[in-house]
Amino acid sequence: MASSTTHDHAQPSPAAPESGESRRDFLLYATSAVGAAGTVLALWPFVHSMNPAADTLALSSTEVDLGPIAEGQSITVTWRGKPVFVRHRTADEIKAAQGVDVKALREPQADKDRVKKPEWLIMVGVCTHLGCIPLGQKPAEPKGEFGGWFCPCHGSHYDTSGRIRKGPAPANLPVPEYTFLSDTLVRIG
Amino acid sequence: MSSAPAPVWNNKLIKWVDDRLPIFTLMHGSAVAYPTPKNLNYWWNFGSLALFVLVVMLMTGIFLAMSYTPHVDHAFNSVERIMRDVNYGWLLRYLHMNGGSMFFIVVYIHLFRNLYYGSYKAPREILWWIGVIILLAMMATAFMGYVLPWGQMSFWGATVITNLFSAVPVVGDYIVSWLWGGFSIDNPTLNRFFSLHYLLPFVIFGLAVVHLWALHTSKSNNPLGVEIKTPADSIPFHPYYTIKDFYGVGVFLIFYMFFVFYAPNFFGEPDNYIPANPLVTPPHIVPEWYFLPFYAILRAIPDKLGGVVAMFGAIIVLFFLPWLDTSKVRSAKFRPIYKQFFWIFLIDCIVLGWVGANPPEGHFVLIGQISTAYYFFHFLILMPVLGFLEPTRPVPASISQPVLKEKA
């Protein structure tokens, strides 16, 4: 089709009849439209083949046993190849998280909207700035100015609810879909 | 390239680019204004069809490679994963698998059209050579691609074909070991075949560009075999042949997609759905259909080296065809005797294919030997002699002349 355009530029076609669009023009446009639509449809399988395959999707949920995690402890599990932070929060941490003025936050979100049970905070441990893993899971690691997590790459501070409080990250640590299968068993994804 | 005057570009951006890189002028000269004989029949569609299949093979191949693992422990399963788990993986693989067969169907028809209309003759010898080199590159690519799924036929086909090189005197065994990267077909072989299978299609693409360059220098042959003499003998490529080529692609797609959607394993061997086992040879090893005539030639000679030489010779002889054919007349249309031998030769090639598909026992041995002998007789004796002896029919003075005569 590109060639027909260049052709028009090269040799101005003989003056079109005054009546405007001819039957031949209509056929050309109709054929080009069908051809373009067909090409797009044919390309879709190629594009879609790069999306996660069925076996990849089948591995997209992870079950976590909460039993061994004592209050104040955190564990990191892998879900879809990414770290998920599971924290058994202390009463102080819950209180601090709930006491924040939601309207003052960069991404306003109440703590109750980020947890299903207040003592269990489950979220994807990937900094929303550029994808590093924030520190704060282990007792010895820096937890940032708000007692939650601190990203060492560019200095983002997250609070005890995993919300962004200071630094370049634009959003809170995302909460994945999860369900409590029992009091001590959670399925993520 | 074209004799038409360079176009004048009115669009400022196009002109700006074209003054620095004359890509629009090149496109215009080779795909729009390019003077094409006005009497081409549908046998001239197969060149553009071959390019179309090449693009489909490159596209599907690149996307398949994203999900394929070239390792003896994972190759077979990664192909099965493509078939079952990867989105549209079955479609990409069946397009690629059948595309291989389609490529050879299209190219063989293209080649036989050359033989019928004498397109290989002066001044198109180099155009023809590049075509034969493309055929060789296609064969190497197809052979290595067939090894990648790592089924039983992949493994044993690769074993048999690579062992052909052991027929080379003195250094044969070293060559085979070098090809394998070990002492049998194994992981190093699979890795290098994957690498080369990915590389060669781009080489073929480059060769196709050179093929087109040579074509656009000497211009297309035509059913009459008479050169373009006046502008009245030719029409611009666009829109006349762009639309005809698109139409050809449409008809071809019906044929191609019939196999992809309704008979995807028609050209394949069931044994290749059994994972490769280096300890068990399938009872009957056959190459893919497009290699069968050459396989028959290989087996026709009761000598290891002789068979290999004959098989490669069957292709090498094509390089000399422009000089083996001594006739002054190009098109079989005006060569009443050659025309008949052309069809006999085509039947001979089909017979060779049929022999190649059957076990080398009983009467197949004799039929294979006779048809192999005839294959070489056709090129080495018949073509040179016929050129001198054959009474040809009068060739028209120009492409336009026969048409104008009918009108008058």
Side-chain angles (χ1 to χ4, degrees):
Chain A
M1 294 306 114
S3 50
S4 76
T5 324
T6 55
H7 183 65
D8 290 344
H9 284 294
Q11 298 153 358
S13 50
E18 291 300 314
S19 57
E21 307 258 306
S22 67
R23 186 167 167 271
R24 179 171 290 186
D25 286 331
F26 171 76
L27 286 171
L28 177 65
Y29 296 141
T31 310
S32 307
V34 171
T39 306
V40 170
L41 286 174
L43 285 176
W44 171 244
F46 290 83
V47 175
H48 192 42
S49 75
M50 292 173 73
N51 276 324
D55 62 331
T56 311
L57 293 174
L59 293 175
S60 61
S61 67
T62 302
E63 287 184 10
V64 186
D65 180 11
L66 302 176
I69 310 169
E71 193 175 305
Q73 271 190 341
S74 296
I75 63 158
T76 305
V77 296
T78 310
W79 173 66
R80 294 185 179 175
K82 285 185 285 199
V84 169
F85 294 168
V86 180
R87 180 155 181 85
H88 194 166
R89 296 194 294 186
T90 62
D92 287 347
E93 284 170 353
I94 296 168
K95 214 169 156 192
Q98 289 172 342
V100 175
D101 176 15
V102 173
K103 285 187 190 118
L105 294 172
R106 186 171 299 168
E107 189 193 351
Q109 209 175 18
D111 185 61
K112 65 175 165 53
D113 297 332
R114 294 181 51 81
V115 292
K116 291 199 170 155
K117 294 182 177 179
E119 63 271 34
W120 294 106
L121 175 65
I122 298 174
M123 58 191 185
V124 177
V126 176
C127 182
T128 55
H129 180 219
L130 291 171
C132 296
I133 299 172
L135 299 173
Q137 285 291 84
K138 291 176 187 155
E141 287 176 356
K143 291 185 186 305
E145 290 175 24
F146 300 88
W149 288 264
F150 171 71
C151 184
C153 289
H154 306 95
S156 290
H157 299 253
Y158 295 92
D159 67 11
T160 56
S161 188
R163 292 171 295 201
I164 181 67
R165 299 294 287 274
K166 188 181 171 186
N172 302 334
L173 292 177
V175 176
E177 240 180 72
Y178 64 88
T179 37
F180 279 91
L181 299 174
S182 73
D183 277 352
T184 56
L185 191 64
V186 152
R187 190 182 61 212
I188 302 169
Chain B
M1 263 182 245
S2 131
S3 52
V8 179
W9 304 103
N10 295 327
N11 182 301
K12 282 207 175 107
L13 179 63
I14 289 178
K15 188 175 166 14
W16 187 88
V17 173
D18 203 72
D19 287 345
R20 286 151 182 82
L21 178 74
I23 188 159
F24 294 102
T25 299
L26 180 73
M27 291 285 291
H28 184 264
S30 50
V32 178
Y34 174 61
T36 319
K38 61 182 179 182
N39 59 335
L40 298 188
N41 57 32
Y42 277 109
W43 299 112
W44 263 264
N45 272 57
F46 289 84
S48 70
L49 283 180
L51 183 64
F52 175 78
V53 184
L54 176 61
V55 172
V56 171
M57 293 304 275
L58 279 165
M59 286 276 291
T60 49
I62 288 167
F63 280 82
L64 284 170
M66 294 178 189
S67 303
Y68 170 77
T69 312
H71 187 285
V72 287
D73 294 338
H74 306 290
F76 188 89
N77 288 338
S78 74
V79 173
E80 287 307 306
R81 180 175 172 271
I82 288 171
M83 293 301 290
R84 291 148 204 258
D85 287 337
V86 174
N87 303 314
Y88 289 109
W90 59 272
L91 179 60
L92 296 181
R93 173 155 179 266
Y94 280 155
L95 282 170
H96 199 76
M97 225 171 93
N98 289 285
S101 286
M102 293 302 134
F103 208 173
F104 278 96
I105 289 174
V106 165
V107 163
Y108 281 153
I109 293 175
H110 189 63
L111 196 155
F112 275 96
R113 188 268 286 153
N114 265 270
L115 295 181
Y116 189 86
Y117 292 108
S119 302
Y120 47 81
K121 293 192 194 194
R124 298 186 180 82
E125 301 94 326
I126 293 183
L127 176 60
W128 166 253
W129 282 350
I130 300 162
V132 177
I133 294 169
I134 290 176
L135 178 64
L136 283 169
M138 275 174 65
M139 288 174 156
T141 311
F143 160 67
M144 287 188 280
Y146 195 61
V147 177
L148 303 184
W150 209 243
Q152 273 290 66
M153 277 296 168
S154 300
F155 185 90
W156 293 102
T159 302
V160 169
I161 300 296
T162 49
N163 265 315
L164 292 179
F165 293 91
S166 70
V168 178
V170 189
V171 291
D173 288 337
Y174 295 101
I175 293 176
V176 172
S177 164
W178 175 76
L179 288 172
W180 287 342
F183 305 102
S184 63
I185 299 274
D186 210 334
N187 203 44
T189 327
L190 180 59
N191 275 217
R192 63 189 59 185
F193 278 15
F194 179 56
S195 169
L196 294 172
H197 182 73
Y198 207 116
L199 167 73
L200 281 177
F202 293 96
V203 173
I204 292 174
F205 194 86
L207 286 167
V209 171
V210 181
H211 196 61
L212 274 176
W213 185 12
L215 172 73
H216 285 217
T217 305
S218 57
K219 306 283 185 280
S220 293
N221 184 28
N222 62 77
L224 294 177
V226 197
E227 295 293 335
I228 297 171
K229 283 171 185 158
T230 61
D233 290 340
S234 72
I235 45 178
F237 191 80
H238 180 77
Y240 300 104
Y241 285 110
T242 42
I243 202 70
K244 190 173 178 179
D245 282 348
F246 272 125
Y247 175 71
V249 166
V251 174
F252 168 72
L253 278 174
I254 294 172
F255 179 74
Y256 181 8
M257 293 305 135
F258 169 79
F259 288 103
V260 169
F261 290 111
Y262 299 102
N265 290 299
F266 178 81
F267 295 107
E269 281 293 322
D271 271 19
N272 220 27
Y273 285 103
I274 301 168
N277 183 348
L279 301 179
V280 180
T281 306
H284 179 45
I285 301 190
V286 269
E288 290 279 81
W289 69 267
Y290 37 80
F291 291 138
L292 290 175
F294 302 102
Y295 194 54
I297 292 174
L298 170 77
R299 297 190 307 189
I301 314 284
D303 171 73
K304 192 173 177 183
L305 180 61
V308 174
V309 168
M311 187 183 70
F312 284 105
I315 304 235
I316 301 303
V317 72
L318 296 176
F319 282 102
F320 299 96
L321 186 56
W323 297 275
L324 289 171
D325 181 355
T326 50
S327 178
K328 296 271 181 288
V329 176
R330 267 199 207 113
S331 174
K333 212 178 163 114
F334 307 107
R335 300 184 61 189
I337 300 174
Y338 171 71
K339 188 193 270 184
Q340 289 168 32
F341 279 111
F342 167 84
W343 292 109
I344 293 172
F345 177 70
L346 178 63
I347 292 165
D348 184 60
C349 290
I350 294 167
V351 169
L352 279 170
W354 172 64
V355 170
N358 282 288
E361 299 158 357
H363 57 284
F364 285 116
V365 178
L366 187 64
I367 299 173
Q369 286 171 345
I370 292 170
S371 29
T372 298
Y374 186 81
Y375 183 98
F376 288 102
F377 166 80
H378 177 90
F379 285 118
L380 298 176
I381 296 168
L382 192 72
M383 294 290 271
V385 172
L386 208 55
F388 292 114
L389 302 182
E390 184 181 29
T392 54
R393 290 169 47 208
V395 177
S398 76
I399 292 173
S400 300
Q401 196 210 20
V403 190
L404 295 173
K405 220 183 255 172
E406 274 166 35
K407 288 260 172 71

